[in-house]
Amino acid sequence: MTAHVPTSTGRRAVRLGTRASALARAQSGLVADALSGSTGGPVELVEITTAGDRSTRAVAELGGTGVFVSALRDALLAGDIDLAVHSYKDLPTAPAPGLVLAAVPAREDPRDVLVARDGARLDDLPAGARIGTGAPRRMAQLRAYRRDLDVVPVRGNVDTRVGKVADGTLDAVVLARAGLARLGRMDAVTEVLDPDRLLPAPAQGALAIECRADDTALRSALAALEHPEARATVTAERALLAALEAGCSAPVGALATLDAAEAADPVRPRTALVLRGIVAAIDGSAVVRLSTTGTITDAEEVGRRLAADLLAAGVSNLLGSSR
């Protein structure tokens, strides 16, 4: 089923599939506004409930990678919606037959943030403080940085997690800065965490817009939303994740940054890409952190190369059952 890209002549609205959470709707609303602005026609949000939304169990217990994605992809392939917006970090690394990643919009700040009682920073938390997160990656890095903290699993939306700090259940939680920014909740943040202490998840802060591969009209319209630099950085990070054969629940962090640099031939300037990666034991007892460089045009190869370096450094035993 091919979507009718809306125009000012009144053709039907494009149906954008989204999870029903406040954050998912906020993210999808940004895409809907951008697409409507570029095409001149309406975009309708269609709420889809995923397996990850129906349970409060840990993502790994629900099947890991894809629990927030499969229902949206099924709706796309069935023709019930025309495009879907995902938090890019939730996507499986393998492509989905019949679908295409049509656009990666400009990326939000990918760093993690701390939300703590009494305005505390991470270094201010007393020994034994209870700090909540649902991500094995964060658990591993927090335990490696502060072995004296009590890092506990927590699930739920942003309000639920922040509420556990407000009601005293937890002393602090760690969340993605991008989500709080998109929800207008940056006032809750007590510290933006430097990647040297907590490296983000691969593709954190980025959105992925999928549509059917044969919907050429919509693919053309979505091209206006593409941000090449965002695509390059997440491509490197995700290539690392794929080469490690690790999912979004693995204790793996990665962050690619761009730095304009001249090539050896000054007539053909290139953009340098710096990729940092980390794999840590869940209990924080071991950490392997490496980096490599390349260019924006070979982002995928940069990710594969860093993965090879990490594997050569012995991270396979740290990945454990997440592989």
Side-chain angles (χ1 to χ4, degrees):
M1 182 175 183
T2 300
H4 299 287
V5 179
T7 69
S8 56
T9 59
R11 298 169 72 181
R12 75 161 173 83
V14 168
R15 299 161 301 171
L16 189 160
T18 178
R19 293 169 57 200
S21 71
L23 177 55
R25 287 185 60 86
Q27 294 176 161
S28 296
L30 293 172
V31 173
D33 290 345
L35 181 59
S36 182
S38 67
T39 63
V43 179
E44 173 192 4
L45 296 188
V46 179
E47 292 184 3
I48 305 290
T49 301
T50 71
D53 298 316
R54 289 192 293 268
S55 175
T56 58
R57 293 163 56 200
V59 172
E61 295 177 10
L62 295 173
T65 306
V67 298
F68 297 115
V69 174
S70 296
L72 286 162
R73 285 179 162 176
D74 290 345
L76 260 179
L77 291 170
D80 297 329
I81 57 176
D82 302 310
L83 70 152
V85 174
H86 310 282
S87 290
Y88 202 152
K89 66 183 180 64
D90 292 337
L91 285 182
T93 53
L99 303 179
V100 64
L101 183 54
V104 179
R107 188 179 189 179
E108 259 287 358
D109 187 326
R111 292 176 294 176
D112 284 317
V113 296
L114 186 76
V115 176
R117 285 191 290 151
D118 304 321
R121 299 168 64 86
L122 183 57
D123 289 345
D124 299 331
L125 295 174
R130 288 171 53 83
I131 182 168
T133 174
R137 167 191 62 84
R138 292 183 182 129
M139 290 180 178
Q141 293 187 66
L142 285 167
R143 288 167 177 157
Y145 182 72
R146 290 270 320 258
R147 300 300 297 273
D148 60 329
L149 295 176
D150 182 12
V151 182
V152 299
V154 62
R155 277 287 312 275
N157 59 33
V158 170
D159 285 336
T160 297
R161 298 187 194 201
V162 172
K164 290 182 181 298
V165 176
D167 67 15
T169 302
L170 297 171
D171 296 295
V173 292
V174 177
L175 302 164
R177 184 191 184 283
L180 290 171
R182 289 172 178 144
L183 287 170
R185 295 293 307 277
M186 286 297 293
D187 60 306
V189 174
T190 57
E191 183 181 9
V192 178
L193 298 170
D194 191 293
D196 287 340
R197 286 191 292 173
L198 206 65
L199 206 60
Q204 184 161 295
L207 300 179
I209 306 175
E210 277 190 323
C211 70
R212 289 180 292 279
D214 62 359
D215 194 342
T216 55
L218 185 54
R219 289 178 66 174
S220 178
L222 289 172
L225 278 58
E226 174 77 357
H227 191 274
E229 290 79 10
R231 171 87 68 160
T233 57
V234 298
T235 293
E237 295 163 16
R238 298 266 299 174
L240 179 148
L241 192 66
L244 291 176
E245 298 180 7
C248 66
S249 296
V252 176
L255 181 64
T257 54
L258 301 178
D259 180 30
E262 292 277 321
D265 180 357
V267 177
R268 300 180 61 193
R270 297 182 295 178
T271 299
L273 185 148
V274 180
L275 177 63
R276 290 180 282 172
I278 187 172
V279 181
I282 290 294
D283 65 1
S285 61
V287 174
V288 179
R289 184 190 296 262
L290 297 174
S291 65
T292 193
T293 61
T295 67
I296 194 171
T297 56
D298 66 347
E300 188 167 349
E301 173 56 29
V302 171
R304 288 197 295 263
R305 187 166 66 245
L306 184 55
D309 292 343
L310 287 164
L311 290 169
V315 303
S316 292
N317 60 328
L318 302 182
L319 291 169
S321 61
S322 65
R323 296 192 71 182

